[in-house]
């Protein structure tokens, strides 16, 4: 997608052929900075400390991190053993998004298929590039399938009246390699001339909605409004939301959806108000093993400081929307001594999900419907 008119992806190979470039998403929207990764440890830190985040992006950075791992293993006695261990280190960085393990396991399997070190390195590089290209192609296809849903709603509205879409967290292009999952249908509709307006949940505690989704929608010229996380139910009661589209960090083949904390409450409000609640995901985000998402999906707990502190640029200085480095300040929000808890994700049961928008089309959030789109998974 475009940043100040220049096309970017969230991860790409460095010009020197032995490094990887990413966008430091921690600094957006106040600074746009690139970071170079030169080792597996750099890639692990980038994922753990959320320089990059979002299921697809984490998966693609992990795939590229495994290319850096392959370079480190090239002269090791037992390439495959060390490569596997480096993969486990990457996998341990964040537990909920399944794309991370999916990308690492794919690299381990592919690289084990050839015997010479230089072949393994070349294959790890090719696989990283394939993972990124696939992710972008899948998100583009999600956009096309989701566009059909938005178009159907737009056709029932008065000419020029926007389709109001609520989203939670950031499942935009920053959370993938390009286009995004939840945002892909929005970009497709906007580009097709269908008027859309997005209600952007700010998404405490890290504010990926206010900081990232708002920024990328703004860069693409999509009308949007940032709202506190508690507002969605009120908007739905008053007919101001036509459709909810969120992303997901892991969705079971039975249709249970793990996504950023607070998603479940939006799904409950949508159900109560008969607002369609769709979840957009590439197939790399399906968990083909866990049947019960509430019981089985590991929920990451992060530092309480993400809850008790907040950072941003000082108001009243004219710096609110500038991209100057170092202008953020951190402030405390919580009464001294009060404990805080920071569960990063929750699971929305399939019964609250209207449908899943995948690269192969839209299906119901049920085992039979998911498997009808991905019949090859019936056998595994
Ligand atoms: O903690 P994060 O920022 O990595 O959380 C992931 C997310 O951005 C969201 O949960 C998103 O909606 C799904 S990931 C495409």
């Amino acid at each position: 997608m475009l940043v100040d008119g220049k096309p970017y992806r969230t991860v790409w190979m460095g010009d020197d052929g032995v490094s990887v470039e990413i966008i430091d998403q921690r600094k957006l929207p106040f600074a746009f900075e690139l970071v170079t990764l030169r080792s597996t440890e750099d890639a692990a830190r980038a994922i753990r400390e959320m320089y990059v985040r979002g299921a697809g992006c984490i998966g693609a950075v992990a795939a590229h991190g495994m290319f850096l791992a392959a370079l480190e293993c090239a002269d090791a006695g037992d390439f495959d053993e060390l490569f596997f261990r480096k993969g486990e280190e990457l996998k341990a960085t964040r537990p909920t998004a399944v794309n991370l393990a999916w990308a690492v396991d794919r690299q381990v399997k592919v690289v084990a298929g050839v015997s010479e070190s230089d072949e393994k390195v070349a294959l790890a590089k090719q696989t990283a590039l394939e993972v990124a290209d696939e992710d972008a192609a899948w998100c583009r296809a999600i956009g096309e399938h989701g566009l059909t849903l938005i178009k159907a709603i737009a056709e029932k509205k008065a000419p020029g009246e926007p389709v109001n879409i609520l989203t939670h967290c950031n499942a935009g292009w920053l959370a993938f390699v390009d286009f995004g999952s939840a945002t892909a249908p929005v970009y497709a509709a906007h580009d097709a001339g269908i008027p859309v307006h997005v209600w952007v949940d700010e998404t405490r505690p890290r504010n990926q909605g206010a900081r990232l989704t708002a920024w990328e929608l703004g860069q693409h010229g999509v009308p949007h409004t940032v709202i506190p996380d508690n507002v969605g139910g009120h908007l739905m009661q008053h007919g101001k939301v036509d459709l909810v589209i969120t992303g997901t960090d892991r969705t079971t083949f039975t249709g249970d959806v793990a996504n950023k904390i607070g998603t479940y409450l939006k799904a409950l409000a949508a159900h109560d108000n008969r607002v369609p609640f769709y979840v957009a995901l590439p197939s790399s985000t399906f968990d083909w093993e866990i049947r019960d998402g509430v019981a089985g999906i590991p929920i990451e707990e992060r530092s309480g400081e993400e809850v008790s502190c907040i950072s941003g640029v000082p108001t009243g200085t004219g710096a609110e929307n500038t991209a100057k480095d170092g202008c953020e300040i951190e402030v405390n929000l919580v009464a001294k001594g009060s404990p805080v808890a920071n569960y990063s994700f929750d699971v929305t049961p399939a019964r609250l999900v209207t449908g899943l928008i995948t690269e192969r089309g839209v299906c119901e959030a049920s085992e039979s419907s998911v498997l009808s789109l991905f019949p090859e998974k019936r056998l595994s």
Side-chain angles (χ1 to χ4, degrees), residues 29 47 52 67 89 108 126 180 191 237 247 285 344 373:
I47 297 171
V52 290
F67 161 60
E89 280 165 32
V108 168
Q126 185 190 319
D191 292 349
Q237 280 178 326
T285 305
S344 268
L373 274 190

Side-chain angles (χ1 to χ4, degrees), residues 50 52-56 58 94 168-172 175-176 181 206 208 212 246-249 258-261 263 280 300 302 344-345:
M50 294 178 71
V52 290
R53 24 65 50 208
I58 290 173
R94 296 198 67 192
H168 191 67
C169 197
N170 174 261
F176 288 87
S181 59
R206 288 188 66 106
Q208 289 95 328
L212 303 178
T246 74
T248 168
D249 299 271
N259 194 47
K260 182 55 60 187
I261 192 78
T263 303
E300 177 180 9
R302 297 182 59 86
S344 268
F345 301 92

Side-chain angles (χ1 to χ4, degrees), residues 171-186:
W173 73 269
L174 291 167
F176 288 87
V177 172
D178 216 346
F179 308 110
S181 59
T183 54
V186 172

Side-chain angles (χ1 to χ4, degrees), residues 310-334:
I310 199 163
S311 66
V313 292
T315 55
T317 61
E320 286 87 345
N321 289 309
T322 63
K324 290 196 183 67
D325 186 21
C327 60
E328 284 199 53
I329 55 165
E330 200 163 89
V331 296
N332 220 340
L333 289 174
V334 176

